[in-house]
Amino acid sequence: CSLKFGGRKWSGFVDENDGTLSTFTESNTSPSSPRKLVDLTNTNIGDVDGLESLSICLTDKLPEFPSWTKRLTSLKRLDLGNSKSIKKLPHGLNRFNSISDLNLKGCSALQSVTSSLGRLAPSLVFLNLCDCSDVRELPSAIGSLTNLVDMNLCGCRRVRDIPNGIGNLSNLIRLDLGGVDMRALPSTFSGLVRLRKLSLNDCRRGRDFP
């Protein structure tokens, strides 16, 4: 687990049940700008004021995001990448309604993306589902994420249909659909009026692409 606040980074372990940090110390900074390292061992993660970024590897034994996550009201980036054993996201994703960046890259056993993703609509700007190779379907709620600027679905090889709601993402600038097993882009694709970069690499079934 790692976290960031005040421009500084820490790493160590967190108890999934009560949020207590153990062997949690500040990562060393540049030798040219040394400063005293701070030890957060035995601190409760919910008591860390101004927490901006949290990186944690989930296990399939966690059915719900623990209660201490409700206190992370300043969180901007949630990195759950490479949580390779989870088949679905724990309940309670919608409590992270302040985040602008959600990383699920490399969650290769993940089979579904919860519809509560739509609850993140007011703030979410970056969504990374790269190499979530077992995801079979994207929720229609993805069309609610109207502030998205960058979405990466590269390597989602079992996804065959992109929801029509994607046409609502009028702020989207970058979209990576590389390797997605779809035959055609949805008819609503013309709604992506700000799109500047689109990747369709290795979309082997694609026949009706413009």
Side-chain angles (χ1 to χ4, degrees):
C1 173
S2 63
L3 55 86
K4 177 182 178 181
F5 65 94
R8 305 170 77 168
K9 296 180 180 180
W10 281 257
S11 60
F13 301 92
V14 60
D15 187 304
E16 289 181 344
N17 295 313
D18 64 12
T20 300
L21 304 173
S22 60
T23 60
F24 219 89
T25 55
E26 186 178 359
S27 303
N28 203 358
T29 55
S30 169
S32 61
S33 57
R35 56 187 175 191
K36 184 179 179 180
L37 299 183
V38 179
D39 189 346
L40 293 179
T41 301
N42 296 324
T43 301
N44 188 285
I45 196 169
D47 294 330
V48 179
D49 290 333
L51 183 62
E52 302 160 5
S53 175
L54 174 64
S55 175
I56 188 168
C57 187
L58 300 179
T59 68
D60 58 359
K61 297 179 180 179
L62 190 68
E64 182 174 1
F65 283 105
S67 59
W68 52 264
T69 59
K70 296 178 181 178
R71 299 159 64 187
L72 306 182
T73 56
S74 299
L75 200 67
K76 299 301 180 186
R77 184 172 194 268
L78 179 60
D79 183 355
L80 307 176
N82 294 309
S83 298
K84 296 184 180 298
S85 67
I86 59 169
K87 294 184 178 181
K88 62 180 181 179
L89 291 173
H91 294 296
L93 180 65
N94 56 303
R95 69 184 52 162
F96 297 103
N97 56 13
S98 65
I99 64 171
S100 58
D101 187 343
L102 176 60
N103 180 30
L104 298 169
K105 180 179 180 179
C107 295
S108 53
L110 189 66
Q111 296 178 354
S112 63
V113 181
T114 174
S115 60
S116 64
L117 190 67
R119 304 272 185 91
L120 307 181
S123 59
L124 199 63
V125 176
F126 303 99
L127 175 61
N128 192 346
L129 291 166
C130 178
D131 292 331
C132 292
S133 53
D134 214 20
V135 168
R136 294 164 170 79
E137 184 178 6
L138 298 174
S140 59
I142 208 164
S144 301
L145 304 176
T146 54
N147 287 318
L148 270 187
V149 169
D150 191 320
M151 181 162 62
N152 190 344
L153 302 175
C154 177
C156 295
R157 299 188 179 277
R158 294 200 176 193
V159 172
R160 297 200 170 189
D161 295 296
I162 302 298
N164 284 330
I166 195 172
N168 297 330
L169 308 185
S170 57
N171 288 306
L172 200 64
I173 294 175
R174 292 176 292 275
L175 176 61
D176 193 336
L177 298 173
V180 176
D181 193 26
M182 59 184 179
R183 290 181 182 272
L185 295 171
S187 59
T188 57
F189 207 74
S190 59
L192 304 183
V193 293
R194 296 189 180 179
L195 194 65
R196 295 292 178 268
K197 184 175 182 180
L198 171 65
S199 175
L200 297 170
N201 295 333
D202 200 26
C203 293
R204 299 178 182 179
R205 286 162 47 95
R207 298 175 183 174
D208 301 321
F209 293 160

